[in-house]
Amino acid sequence: MAKLEKEVTSFNSKPKNKMNSFGEKVIKDFKRNKVIYLMVSPVVLYYIIFQYGPMYGLQIAFKDYTPALGFLQSPWVGFEHFKEFFNSFFFWRLLKNTLLLSFYSLLFAFPAGIILALLLNEIRGGIFKRSVQTITYMPHFVSLVVIVGILFDFMARDGVVNDILVFLFGGEPIAFMREADWFRTLFISSDIWQNVGWSSIIFLAAMSNVDPALYEAAKIDGAGRLKQMWHITLPGIMPTVVILLILLIGKFMTVGEEKILLMYNPTTYETADVIGTYVYRKGILESNFSYSAAVGLFKALIAFTLLVIANSIARKVGDTKLW
Amino acid sequence: MQNNLKALTVLFFLLLFFALIVGCSDNGTSSEETEQETELKDPSEVGYPESLTYWAELNGNAAQTAQTLNDVRAYQVMEETTGTTIEFKHPSGEGTDITEQFNLMLASGKLPDMIEYNWRTVPKGPDNAIEDGTIIRLNEIIEDYAPNLNQYLNENPEVKKTVTTDEGNIYTFPFIRGDEKLMVFMGMIIRQDWLDTLDLDTPTTIAEWEEVLKAFKTGDPNGNGEQDEVPLLVQPDDFKNIGPFVGAYGIHAQFYNDNGTVKYGSIQPEFKEFLTTMNRWYEEGLLDADFAAMDGKLVDAKVTNDQLGSLFGYTGGGIGRFTGLMEDHPTFELSATPHPALEEGGIAATAQKAFPHEGYHSVAISGQAENPEEIAKWLDFAYSEEGHMLFNFGVEGESYEMIDGYPTYTEEITNNPDGLPMSNALGKYIRANYGGPMIQDVRYVEQYLDLPAQKEAIEIWEETAENNINMPPITMNSDESDEFNSIMSDLDTYYDETVIRFIMGDEPLDNFDEFVATLEGMGINRAIELQQAALDRYMAR
């Protein structure tokens, strides 16, 4: 850094360069900091190729795109596709399902990681703690296809879960995977099962940063385990929780479409069909690319708005924020 | 540091700009390429091409023994004869996986020379695909460079009508069923041994079916002392698209042709009667509780567990296959039942009956192919006498022998030494058993259906349905099919859910009028109009 600053000062001390055009400055700067540019280039390239590049194609949301004509030649249709979607028979159902699934996973799946971390934190070391941690985060690495396969098997009319339920409580077996009412419960709870261990890791890391002296002091003041958790651990990890929550809200409308695609069927469309799966069916299966691009854009706009709102709330309420 | 940041931003946007430019210019070139040449070569100068690329689904029957179609004997022999090497591109998976990869391939703008697909039902229709240069019009090319196919089409004007669009374009080298016997292959199949055990007659009417199903449910025909029998299994898509039991009520669930007038069956009062019956059967446990979410494996399991009493299935993949799977069962016997009628002596209005050409397994030449004349010559080989034998029977001395002028499959096929079922043994040699750009020979099916029950099935299913109301393979123009698809995609989703709910009793049948009103609100009447226009044009061809 010292060297860099020195060069910057020497750069400023040359009065001749002051009048140079912006372009020359860029070239100068590039020459001087070659290595730094080199280092940053993969990241920049990643964003250009995979994040900004594809945005060029977003224009088809306002066009009547046909592959044979390409992006540029396809005729403009303005907001036609958006109108069609807002007037679509399924618009409200898709919106409701998407929001509800997101909301439930925020309500149940997000705290689950915190709770597991809090519980684990109370166990003082030992094999038990480590094995619980390992076992709970293992499912995260299992492929989604396998998870849903297991789900279908266990939840079938003649599956393990029904066998146990019928044995304990009697009654008729329930075809869980074919009941629209059960879809959200199964979706969220299997998600918790798969990811709770993984999401607890980051909170455990945050907890290990809490100053042990605080616990000592609290103990001397006569605070029990629960009080310590409530007044020291939780406030200690709050910044992490808030940041993660904001990030999660940014992904609010993205509810794990791959998993829904694997899980749903016409009997559960009523609760399972979300914007993402609709985009897949419309765009990829019916090759209605323009329409599904418009629907996807609409979804992204909602998510972006939510992110801005969440961030400004976090700003007002506390000091933690994204920007 | 401020300077660095600014420079970085500039660089970033510069790169972004370049990326966009590159993106644009790519598109420019690809759309230019699709313009086709109009000048045709002299037929006598055209030979077989050196190499071609060919996109086609690899059917499960072949996939058992082949990585690509190049491993199939017919294509190996064809390569020896023509000297053309084929690079096959096979999409993976089945069903919607294929659709997905097909759509993405078209969107990518990079097309192989030949594409095998159901081009009749592509979004915006075949005429549009020709217009925008995705594939080429074949009329002139077939006339000049595909003499064998040309001759067949000229001798069979009815077939020619089905392979031509309203605008007069021939768009594929078609898969053609060469005989009536090849067009009927699905119907209701019942456990004959259960009927015998319970001393019941083959049901022919809806009422008789109900009695038989009830007896299956309560009479313990599988003799294990438990009431675990599933009397009937028909999947919702079969009710919807083909019409077992629906046909008894004089309608087809989808669009049908009532003496030249298109109607949509599911908004007719008869459909409510059908739903009422199915709902009753479901409530009484006659119709499988899992009927709404079935796949092939589950069906197999129910049959092989000795639980299923009757199902809607194929002569080959149903009767033949299950009889093979249940070889060790002492009494297992399947037989075809007549398509159910509403009353004694009645006849079903519709049932499965294919048209000689429906669009499946047909090959279009892409607009990017450099030598369409040579490709046509290559494809025409399958319609020649030599090619016809090759794709229907395989190689003489290996998969068939000529016995008294009749190409008879050898033991290699009928009793495969590696234990392959006949359909897979056939898949190793030929394409007649699932379809391809060729004319299917009736002598294939005569040998493929070796069980008496299978041969009877074709006759029974042929006789017991009128099939006058079936919709012919119409084509729509680009605007029509755009509008039709945008109506039907939401409508079908709603339809699928609601019909299942009616049958399962989640939605009371009193709401049938609301169901009809909703379909009308979603534009079913406009869809009927569009179908009507297409049908009128088809009739006028």
Side-chain angles (χ1 to χ4, degrees):
Chain A
M1 260 334 248
K3 192 185 168 195
L4 196 74
E5 269 164 35
K6 209 160 104 193
E7 283 185 45
V8 171
T9 22
S10 70
F11 175 77
N12 286 340
S13 66
K14 281 179 192 165
K16 233 170 39 179
N17 287 329
K18 260 184 195 167
M19 301 306 289
N20 273 359
S21 72
F22 190 64
E24 275 174 50
K25 269 188 200 168
V26 173
I27 293 164
K28 262 263 162 60
D29 191 65
F30 182 74
K31 275 183 185 157
R32 187 167 303 127
N33 299 320
K34 260 183 237 153
V35 185
I36 293 174
Y37 276 101
L38 196 70
M39 271 167 64
V40 81
S41 61
V43 181
V44 174
L45 278 178
Y46 168 81
Y47 276 96
I48 290 174
I49 296 171
F50 294 107
Q51 304 291 336
Y52 286 92
M55 279 189 201
Y56 165 71
L58 263 183
Q59 57 174 294
I60 67 168
F62 306 96
K63 284 184 159 188
D64 191 7
Y65 170 72
T66 35
L69 290 175
F71 287 158
L72 286 182
Q73 267 87 9
S74 296
W76 292 97
V77 293
F79 286 91
E80 212 45 52
H81 299 299
F82 291 89
K83 276 186 213 154
E84 196 185 333
F85 178 54
F86 296 145
N87 292 324
S88 153
F89 183 77
F90 294 116
F91 175 69
W92 290 109
R93 181 171 92 176
L94 291 169
L95 197 63
K96 183 183 136 202
N97 285 343
T98 311
L99 290 175
L100 271 184
L101 268 185
S102 301
F103 178 69
Y104 285 147
S105 80
L106 213 60
L107 193 67
F108 297 110
F110 183 64
I114 303 177
I115 293 168
L116 180 71
L118 285 174
L119 295 176
L120 283 174
N121 194 44
E122 292 305 312
I123 303 168
R124 300 278 173 240
I127 295 174
F128 181 69
K129 180 179 177 178
R130 262 172 292 158
S131 41
V132 168
Q133 223 178 322
T134 312
I135 291 168
T136 50
Y137 85 62
M138 284 299 246
H140 177 81
F141 299 100
V142 179
S143 150
L144 208 53
V145 182
V146 177
I147 298 274
V148 176
I150 294 174
L151 210 56
F152 265 103
D153 223 39
F154 280 23
M155 294 291 167
R157 200 180 282 270
D158 52 1
V160 185
V161 174
N162 265 316
D163 285 353
I164 294 172
L165 286 179
V166 172
F167 178 75
L168 289 179
F169 306 106
E172 281 290 301
I174 306 165
F176 288 103
M177 302 302 279
R178 277 186 278 294
E179 298 272 351
D181 297 341
W182 277 100
F183 180 80
R184 289 190 187 113
T185 314
L186 286 179
F187 183 84
I188 303 284
S189 53
S190 63
D191 183 47
I192 293 177
W193 176 79
Q194 193 187 1
N195 290 319
V196 67
W198 181 258
S199 57
S200 72
I201 289 177
I202 199 157
F203 298 116
L204 277 171
M207 284 170 196
S208 66
N209 276 340
V210 179
D211 190 350
L214 291 175
Y215 291 107
E216 298 282 331
K219 251 185 232 163
I220 291 165
D221 290 343
R225 278 267 177 114
L226 268 181
K227 289 249 163 171
Q228 287 176 36
M229 192 193 280
W230 190 252
H231 292 290
I232 299 172
T233 318
L234 267 183
I237 61 166
M238 220 14 113
T240 316
V241 172
V242 172
I243 284 284
L244 282 178
L245 194 62
I246 296 176
L247 286 176
L248 211 64
I249 287 173
K251 290 192 285 183
F252 195 63
M253 303 291 281
T254 313
V255 284
E257 284 89 21
E258 316 88 74
K259 192 171 168 189
I260 299 178
L261 278 178
L262 291 166
M263 275 177 74
Y264 77 169
N265 60 55
T267 50
T268 51
Y269 275 2
E270 198 188 335
T271 51
D273 200 14
V274 296
I275 294 181
T277 50
Y278 186 72
V279 167
Y280 168 77
R281 287 206 309 274
K282 280 282 181 176
I284 309 287
L285 293 185
E286 292 170 23
S287 82
N288 210 336
F289 297 111
S290 282
Y291 181 70
S292 62
V295 177
L297 185 60
F298 166 74
K299 186 180 95 165
L301 281 179
I302 295 188
F304 184 69
T305 318
L306 285 172
L307 181 68
V308 172
I309 294 172
N311 190 57
S312 58
I313 291 175
R315 237 183 214 211
K316 289 233 169 74
V317 177
D319 319 320
T320 324
K321 57 188 183 283
L322 274 186
W323 68 82
Chain B
M1 285 316 277
Q2 200 67 40
N3 268 332
N4 282 346
L5 206 64
K6 210 186 256 173
L8 207 64
T9 325
V10 168
L11 185 79
F12 180 80
F13 280 106
L14 273 179
L15 282 173
L16 188 66
F17 186 60
F18 283 128
L20 295 191
I21 299 282
V22 172
C24 301
S25 54
D26 264 0
N27 268 301
T29 48
S30 69
S31 57
E32 272 163 33
E33 273 170 25
T34 50
E35 276 175 36
Q36 64 183 90
E37 304 154 40
T38 40
E39 231 170 90
L40 294 174
K41 292 180 198 155
D42 182 358
S44 57
E45 283 173 16
V46 170
Y48 289 114
E50 227 169 79
S51 63
L52 294 173
T53 49
Y54 187 164
W55 191 93
E57 177 182 353
L58 184 63
N59 186 279
N61 286 324
Q64 184 83 15
T65 51
Q67 293 291 317
T68 75
L69 281 174
N70 274 325
D71 298 336
V72 172
R73 280 297 281 151
Y75 283 102
Q76 292 173 348
V77 173
M78 195 168 165
E79 186 176 337
E80 285 161 23
T81 318
T82 61
T84 308
T85 50
I86 302 289
E87 187 196 327
F88 283 103
K89 296 172 194 286
H90 296 302
S92 54
E94 54 183 316
T96 55
D97 297 339
I98 309 279
T99 318
E100 186 179 320
Q101 288 164 77
F102 174 79
N103 286 335
L104 291 176
M105 173 179 67
L106 291 198
S108 79
K110 290 193 191 86
L111 305 180
D113 296 325
M114 299 179 277
I115 305 166
E116 182 177 321
Y117 194 71
N118 186 350
W119 282 94
R120 187 173 70 84
T121 56
V122 291
K124 298 191 183 218
D127 281 328
N128 186 257
I130 291 174
E131 204 177 300
D132 71 19
T134 309
I135 60 175
I136 59 173
R137 170 182 152 103
L138 296 173
N139 304 42
E140 292 74 21
I141 290 179
I142 288 177
E143 237 163 71
D144 291 345
Y145 307 97
N148 299 303
L149 175 61
N150 191 40
Q151 191 190 344
Y152 183 88
L153 292 179
N154 287 337
E155 285 167 6
N156 297 276
E158 270 306 303
V159 176
K160 189 168 185 176
K161 190 168 146 183
T162 59
V163 301
T164 315
T165 67
D166 297 324
E167 288 173 26
N169 293 321
I170 295 179
Y171 51 101
T172 54
F173 280 77
F175 170 56
I176 297 166
R177 301 176 201 279
D179 192 277
E180 286 262 314
K181 278 190 181 167
L182 291 158
M183 298 173 201
V184 170
F185 43 78
M186 274 192 112
M188 287 308 301
I189 302 168
I190 204 162
R191 280 287 294 270
Q192 186 60 43
D193 55 326
W194 286 13
L195 286 178
D196 297 343
T197 310
L198 300 171
D199 202 18
L200 295 163
D201 287 334
T202 303
T204 57
T205 64
I206 297 275
E208 286 173 20
W209 264 95
E210 194 160 335
E211 270 172 49
V212 165
L213 296 177
K214 275 183 184 159
F216 278 0
K217 179 88 187 163
T218 53
D220 191 26
N222 66 8
N224 65 354
E226 282 176 50
Q227 210 189 79
D228 61 347
E229 287 84 358
V230 176
L232 172 69
L233 173 58
V234 183
Q235 299 182 41
D237 272 358
D238 293 335
F239 283 136
K240 178 181 170 187
N241 298 321
I242 306 175
F245 297 102
V246 182
Y249 295 89
I251 55 166
H252 186 289
Q254 290 293 296
F255 299 96
Y256 65 92
N257 168 14
D258 188 10
N259 278 323
T261 312
V262 175
K263 289 186 177 167
Y264 187 71
S266 298
I267 56 174
Q268 312 296 331
E270 288 91 342
F271 193 67
K272 186 179 178 184
E273 289 175 41
F274 159 77
L275 285 178
T276 313
T277 307
M278 286 306 133
N279 172 240
R280 188 169 68 240
W281 289 6
Y282 181 86
E283 302 280 343
E284 290 174 9
L286 305 180
L287 177 62
D288 185 7
D290 295 330
F291 84 104
M294 267 293 137
D295 61 37
K297 275 185 210 134
L298 277 170
V299 179
D300 285 5
K302 284 181 200 273
V303 175
T304 51
N305 284 345
D306 206 8
Q307 282 178 301
L308 193 61
S310 62
L311 77 158
F312 184 71
Y314 293 95
T315 39
I319 300 180
R321 192 156 148 273
F322 292 131
T323 306
L325 284 174
M326 296 294 278
E327 239 170 3
D328 299 333
H329 189 284
T331 59
F332 187 91
E333 190 191 345
L334 292 173
S335 67
T337 65
H339 298 300
L342 199 54
E343 279 151 14
E344 199 75 44
I347 187 166
T350 183
Q352 184 274 327
K353 186 172 186 193
F355 284 84
H357 170 74
E358 297 188 315
Y360 303 104
H361 312 296
S362 300
V363 175
I365 299 179
S366 95
Q368 292 173 15
E370 281 167 8
N371 45 353
E373 301 90 348
E374 292 179 348
I375 298 171
K377 191 177 159 87
W378 185 84
L379 281 166
D380 189 51
F381 178 80
Y383 301 88
S384 70
E385 186 52 35
E386 196 186 345
H388 181 78
M389 294 304 284
L390 183 61
F391 280 97
N392 277 293
F393 304 103
V395 186
E396 189 164 7
E398 284 182 43
S399 57
Y400 77 97
E401 299 283 359
M402 271 304 197
I403 299 175
D404 300 334
Y406 190 95
T408 312
Y409 290 126
T410 57
E411 289 256 303
E412 166 77 15
I413 302 291
T414 53
N415 188 14
N416 187 273
D418 300 327
L420 291 175
M422 187 162 169
S423 52
N424 292 342
L426 285 170
K428 213 173 141 181
Y429 285 89
I430 62 167
R431 291 196 63 176
N433 57 329
Y434 53 94
M438 56 180 284
I439 298 162
Q440 205 179 22
D441 194 308
V442 69
R443 290 170 295 182
Y444 137 76
V445 84
E446 284 168 356
Q447 297 177 71
Y448 177 56
L449 305 179
D450 60 332
L451 300 170
Q454 291 174 303
K455 295 199 173 84
E456 273 172 36
I458 294 187
E459 279 167 29
I460 293 173
W461 291 338
E462 165 76 44
E463 283 165 8
T464 54
E466 277 178 329
N467 286 323
N468 290 333
I469 63 169
N470 298 11
M471 231 16 201
I474 54 166
T475 49
M476 290 191 179
N477 67 35
S478 146
D479 286 343
E480 283 174 344
S481 76
D482 247 5
E483 194 183 352
F484 183 76
N485 289 338
S486 89
I487 294 173
M488 291 310 285
S489 79
D490 281 356
L491 194 144
D492 273 331
T493 310
Y494 170 75
Y495 175 93
D496 291 344
E497 289 174 40
T498 318
V499 166
I500 290 171
R501 290 162 58 84
F502 275 132
I503 294 178
M504 294 181 30
D506 296 343
E507 186 90 37
L509 278 152
D510 295 339
N511 293 350
F512 184 78
D513 292 342
E514 277 169 41
F515 167 71
V516 173
T518 309
L519 289 181
E520 279 167 356
M522 295 176 92
I524 190 63
N525 289 327
R526 178 66 190 144
I528 294 172
E529 278 172 37
L530 294 168
Q531 289 269 322
Q532 182 73 54
L535 180 67
D536 292 345
R537 287 195 308 263
Y538 179 87
M539 295 307 204
R541 271 184 207 169

